[in-house]
Amino acid sequence: MHIHRLEKIWLLIGFSMLVIFLGVIGVGAFALGMQPPTGHHQAIDPDKVDETPPFDRPGLEKIGEKEYNAYMVAYAFGYKQDKLEVPVGSTIHFQVTSSDVVHGFQIPGTNVNLMVVPGEVNHLSYTFKEPGEYLVLCNEYCGAGHEYMATTIIVS
Amino acid sequence: MFLHITGNGEKTVNEAKTANGVANETGADRQRFAKEDSALVLAHLLFAFGALLLGGIAGVLQGLVRGGMITLPAEIGYYQLLTAHGVLMALVFTTFFIIGFLYSGVAKTLGGRLLPQARRLGWAGFVLMAAGTVLGTIFILLNEATVLYTFYAPLKASPYFYIALTLLVVGSWLSGFGMIYQYRRWRNSHRGKLSPLFAFMAVVTMALWLIATLGVAATVLLQFIPWSFGWTETIDVMVSRTLFWYFGHPLVYFWLLPAYICWYVVIPKIIGGKIFSDSLARLAFLLFLLFSVPVGFHHQLMEPGISPVWKYIQVILTFMVVVPSLMTAFSLFATFELTGRMKGAKGLFGWLKVLPWKDVRFFAPFMGMLLFIPAGAGGIVNASHQMNAAVHNTLWVTGHFHLTVATSVALTFFGIAYWLIPAVTNRVLTPALNRLGIIQTIIWVVGMLFMSGSMHTVGLLGSPRRTAYTTYQDHPDAVLWMPYHVAMAVGGTILFIGVVLLIFNVIAMLRAPKGVTEYPIAEAAESEAPAPRVFERWGVWIGLVVVLVLFAYTIPFMDMLNHSGPGSRPWVTW
């Protein structure tokens, strides 16, 4: 099988760029800790979310200077707790689960974008460096009221 | 009169007869399809375009709702339309068209007509798929299946919706078996000969489909149907999503590969050239077969329950399709340039001028190819591990697949229809119809630039996909998205005009003047050595797919099974 010289060059350039690109995102993910959101295998019964700690008391938990855990429950069609408030510069460690169907948890203008799957807990940390009223919205179709499913995080 | 307007003027009957295509080996009679084969192909194509019209109506209504221009009457839900649009466009239009097109090429290149057994399987497949489509559409209209075409658990549709999807898939399997049967019989009677390129590619496409649909069949048969009937209480959501996406990514290659068949095998003939390299074309298809299956996690990058290591491994495997994609791009443009230079084109880009721009058979697929460049680049963004967070489930993704499947693939399919429908009905595409085809292509491209362009942009700003009209209580971020949503509606309306014109053209082709239309199948360049024998040793390639799938999925999937909780009961939230 003959491969044209120019095609070899073309493929070599393309493949080299691919290797560099995968290297960059790999280093970002595994060396610098910029991983996609993920969960420990923390199986949770979606029917018993309300009585399973820490989701029996959803909301903010202060764990340090400007550092919080946010235990969030997504349901059709809203989030518990509604309207969180933190001071500017706070880091929030989100832990999100669902008490019914699959939902999304997205904050436009940030890299916060999680799938909320019943039976699992998803994790992501984010530092809010700018003040503002951040919109949290569901970006996975969850039923007739999907477009109403949103809350806000007030950073002041 | 055999008439095709090309860049060089008109072709005559005699030229077509003496062309070197495989189809012409035994003379002009072989140009004609057997009546029975024509009926099978035409049934698939017309069913596909019927689905396109219904799906298009659902699509334009959605666009207008989201743009805030209309409100739907209370009996019709936005998400009901969204389900209908997805099922009819992504599953029904594509599958019917692909099977019709592949059957036509298999008949054409493997002996000139279908074997009775292959044809019977094709009809059985058609009947099952059509029954599944009708049943599924009824349950969508009854609002008992408003779960979108991805039907994520634990949203629970009527069990008959899942049964309808099963019929669709099983029907497509029968058609696949029919094509593979014809191919095997041909190989048995042509020992030592290389199979025709079209048939080889059709077999790769259907093999990919058979391997991919095992995942969706597993989740539908073992999980969804028993659970939706109430025979089992709960469903494991992560397992069902993983099985779905094992299928969901090769699904997009099942749409793309038939378009590639047109680009590799049909287009060179239309422009009067040769296939750049038969062997490399086969190798590219085999690489697509290998690297489109073990990659489903790149649709699940934002999900819990999967270790980032396995996500990243599948990201790497995903990107391996860059290699055959670059090979394809090189081959196509090499064909264009070589053909142009053969025709006497001068200068660095002179060959562009001699391409048959006024021939819709070339123009529509070419626009598809061109737009596949930004479409592919967008796909690289989507699959980039942590970078997916910037676009996941935003309108960017919707914009992406409207550029890939609804532009690159759809325009290529339209371009095919403009010669395939006349070829199977023994009619000719008149110059007036050719012109209408060009106009329809331009309308499509313009509509898509508006719609997909604004989807990409507003997606980067964060606007979510699959969401009805809302401003999130006039949140400033969401209010800023509105102008883009209006542009999407404008684009959607232009596209709908394109659908209507296409349907008009299809009907006009069915009433076009009688005559013989060429089935364009190009030859490979003479200088080339035949493809290595190993390319047709299917055990090797299927074996490699199995190894890759086991590598990419065994550990994370076992992990899921070992850590599964009680599961989810069914929910109807619409």
Side-chain angles (χ1 to χ4, degrees), chain B residues 249-266:
Chain B
H249 195 70
L251 169 68
V252 307
Y253 278 91
F254 174 67
W255 301 331
L256 196 56
L257 290 185
Y260 278 16
I261 295 179
C262 171
W263 299 356
Y264 268 115
V265 184
V266 173

Side-chain angles (χ1 to χ4, degrees), chain A residues 1-4 6-7 10-11 14-15 18 21-23 25-26 28-30 34-39 41 43-47 76-77 99-102 106 108-109 111 113-115 117-118 120-122 133-135 137-147 149-150 152, chain B residues 79 146-148 152-155 237-238 241 276 279-280 283 301-306 308-309 311-312 315-316 319-320 322-323 326-327 330 380 384-387 389 392-394 461-462 464 466-470 472 475 477 481 535 559 563 565-569 571 573-574:
Chain A
M1 191 173 53
H2 170 73
I3 301 181
H4 194 282
L6 288 174
E7 181 164 7
W10 163 254
L11 289 177
F15 195 76
L18 179 63
F21 178 72
L22 285 170
I25 59 171
F30 293 96
M34 287 184 281
Q35 286 286 10
T38 191
H41 291 290
I44 179 170
D45 185 343
D47 271 344
F77 302 99
S99 56
D100 44 51
V101 299
V102 178
Q106 182 197 338
N111 283 335
N113 196 337
L114 308 169
M115 293 298 295
V117 180
E120 294 277 350
V121 180
N122 210 350
E133 194 178 316
Y134 289 80
L135 175 66
L137 59 85
C138 174
N139 64 11
E140 183 64 85
Y141 167 67
C142 57
H146 164 58
E147 71 270 26
M149 183 165 167
T152 48
Chain B
Y79 300 107
T146 306
V147 292
L148 312 190
Y152 294 140
L155 291 172
V237 176
M238 279 311 294
R241 295 176 70 80
F276 176 68
S279 308
L280 287 174
L283 179 61
L301 291 169
M302 298 296 117
E303 282 177 31
I306 305 166
V309 174
K311 286 178 181 171
Y312 186 69
V315 163
I316 294 175
F319 279 122
M320 288 304 127
V322 165
V323 175
L326 289 177
M327 287 167 68
F330 188 94
I380 291 175
S384 297
H385 202 57
Q386 71 274 36
M387 284 183 12
H392 177 72
N393 270 356
T394 68
L461 299 177
R466 294 177 154 182
T467 303
Y469 176 81
T470 175
Y472 294 106
H475 189 282
D477 285 356
W481 300 335
F535 282 7
D559 225 28
H563 290 85
S568 285
R569 61 189 165 89
W571 291 86
T573 53
W574 63 88

Side-chain angles (χ1 to χ4, degrees), chain B residues 20-38:
Chain B
N20 289 325
V22 179
N24 297 327
E25 272 170 1
T26 54
D29 283 347
R30 296 302 285 271
Q31 286 283 5
R32 290 179 185 274
F33 272 85
K35 241 196 174 89
E36 303 84 357
D37 298 347
S38 291

Side-chain angles (χ1 to χ4, degrees), chain B residues 2 11-20 24 31 269 518:
Chain B
F2 178 81
K11 274 190 177 178
T12 66
V13 180
N14 287 337
E15 270 176 8
K17 280 181 185 170
T18 53
N20 289 325
N24 297 327
Q31 286 283 5
K269 176 75 176 176
E518 176 198 27

Side-chain angles (χ1 to χ4, degrees), chain A residues 60-136:
Chain A
L60 284 176
E61 177 194 41
K62 189 162 181 174
I63 53 170
E65 185 60 31
K66 294 195 173 180
E67 194 170 5
Y68 297 85
N69 282 329
Y71 305 111
M72 306 280 289
V73 179
Y75 63 94
F77 302 99
Y79 297 97
K80 284 186 273 195
Q81 266 315 50
D82 212 15
K83 297 217 161 118
L84 305 180
E85 277 195 63
V86 293
V88 69
S90 297
T91 299
I92 302 184
H93 306 289
F94 291 102
Q95 293 197 29
V96 197
T97 192
S98 164
S99 56
D100 44 51
V101 299
V102 178
H103 296 283
F105 186 97
Q106 182 197 338
I107 305 179
T110 73
N111 283 335
V112 179
N113 196 337
L114 308 169
M115 293 298 295
V116 188
V117 180
E120 294 277 350
V121 180
N122 210 350
H123 297 66
L124 190 73
S125 299
Y126 187 77
T127 304
F128 292 85
K129 291 177 184 150
E130 302 285 332
E133 194 178 316
Y134 289 80
L135 175 66
V136 178

